Amino acid sequence: MVTALAAGAEAVQVFSDLDELLQVSEQWAPDKRIRAGERGGAKVDGFDFGNSPLGCTPERVKGRRLFISTTNGTRALQCVQAAPIVLAAALINRQAIVDYVLKHKPETVWIVGSGWEGSFSLEDTVCAGAIADRLITNLGCTLEDLAENDEVIGAVSLYHQWQNRLLDLFHHASHGKRLLRLNCHEDLKYCSQTDLLNIIPIQREPGVLVAEKYLAKVG
């Protein structure tokens, strides 16, 4: 989602149900839409894209809306779409997310990992830890000051152990192994990078995220 918006996609609209995605996207002209469907890490037959960010080049997505349904991420976004502010975070836009939080200073921040079919996942947890760790650094506070539950402490601890070997961690993760079996080596390399893009996908209306560029620099 981050990569598609950085490449100029008009918006990203998320769905938990593939049939609903097809029905809603049918209202858009074919040259103004991209249908992305992923289940089990693989592209769904009949869809333009799966869930690989590497296909989201400006030539393919600029000016078009990405209608997307994935095994985990889009379902998680739909679960929290009633929240006052919804942002989509990844390692690649970690600093942009942190800068947004530092500027707006919300009283409470929930980092919701989409996991894998309702269970724990290493990649989402280490991303949550990376965000929390950078907040600690930028705020000049302690982990105890920031963390409101055990999950934050666990996520930061995981990040501290693997921060210089994130790609190795992805290779250990069950979903990483699943993607490796699908020959998605380059996807893992790309997604293991930190602070690559300054794009924040922010929910404009329920289920629809648009790009907000964030250029603030915090020491």
Side-chain angles (χ1 to χ4, degrees):
M1 297 177 192
V2 177
T3 305
L5 290 172
E10 177 264 337
V12 174
Q13 190 162 351
V14 301
F15 299 84
S16 58
D17 182 77
L18 291 168
D19 291 334
E20 183 184 5
L21 183 159
L22 292 172
Q23 181 180 1
V24 173
S25 63
E26 193 64 31
Q27 302 169 27
W28 290 66
D31 63 342
K32 293 296 183 182
R33 72 180 185 223
I34 296 172
R35 291 165 166 168
E38 171 268 321
R39 291 293 183 269
K43 182 173 80 73
V44 177
D45 289 343
F47 282 70
D48 304 309
F49 285 8
N51 197 26
S52 171
L54 301 181
C56 295
T57 62
E59 294 78 16
R60 299 185 74 183
V61 306
K62 187 174 183 179
R64 305 171 78 179
R65 177 166 295 203
L66 181 66
F67 296 87
I68 184 169
S69 178
T70 65
T71 307
N72 306 291
T74 58
R75 294 175 181 178
L77 282 166
Q78 288 204 319
C79 286
V80 301
Q81 67 182 15
I85 300 172
V86 175
L87 312 176
L91 289 170
I92 61 171
N93 71 333
R94 185 263 308 259
Q95 187 63 55
I97 294 292
V98 168
D99 288 341
Y100 183 96
V101 172
L102 293 172
K103 177 182 178 181
H104 294 277
K105 297 180 174 64
E107 181 177 349
T108 303
V109 176
W110 290 95
I111 304 176
V112 181
S114 55
W116 177 259
E117 296 187 341
S119 63
F120 175 89
S121 71
L122 284 172
E123 64 275 11
D124 288 348
T125 305
V126 81
C127 181
I131 293 169
D133 183 71
R134 184 54 62 88
L135 282 169
I136 290 167
T137 300
N138 288 167
L139 289 169
C141 66
T142 67
L143 176 58
E144 289 73 20
D145 293 330
L146 187 77
E148 290 290 335
N149 60 17
D150 291 353
E151 285 86 343
V152 176
I153 297 171
V156 172
S157 299
L158 181 69
Y159 175 68
H160 283 175
Q161 181 174 351
W162 291 93
Q163 59 184 310
N164 298 317
R165 296 185 296 139
L166 290 171
L167 181 56
D168 289 342
L169 177 65
F170 283 12
H171 283 192
H172 286 292
S174 60
H175 189 49
K177 293 177 180 178
R178 192 176 294 110
L179 291 175
L180 288 173
R181 289 194 295 269
L182 294 168
N183 295 316
C184 297
H185 303 77
E186 295 303 317
D187 290 303
L188 292 181
K189 289 180 182 178
Y190 177 78
C191 294
S192 67
Q193 299 176 90
T194 54
D195 310 329
L196 186 66
L197 299 174
N198 66 343
I199 294 294
I200 301 172
I202 185 168
Q203 184 172 257
R204 179 178 63 193
E205 58 187 84
V208 178
L209 296 96
V210 299
E212 178 168 321
K213 290 187 178 180
Y214 212 77
L215 303 175
K217 184 175 178 59
V218 178

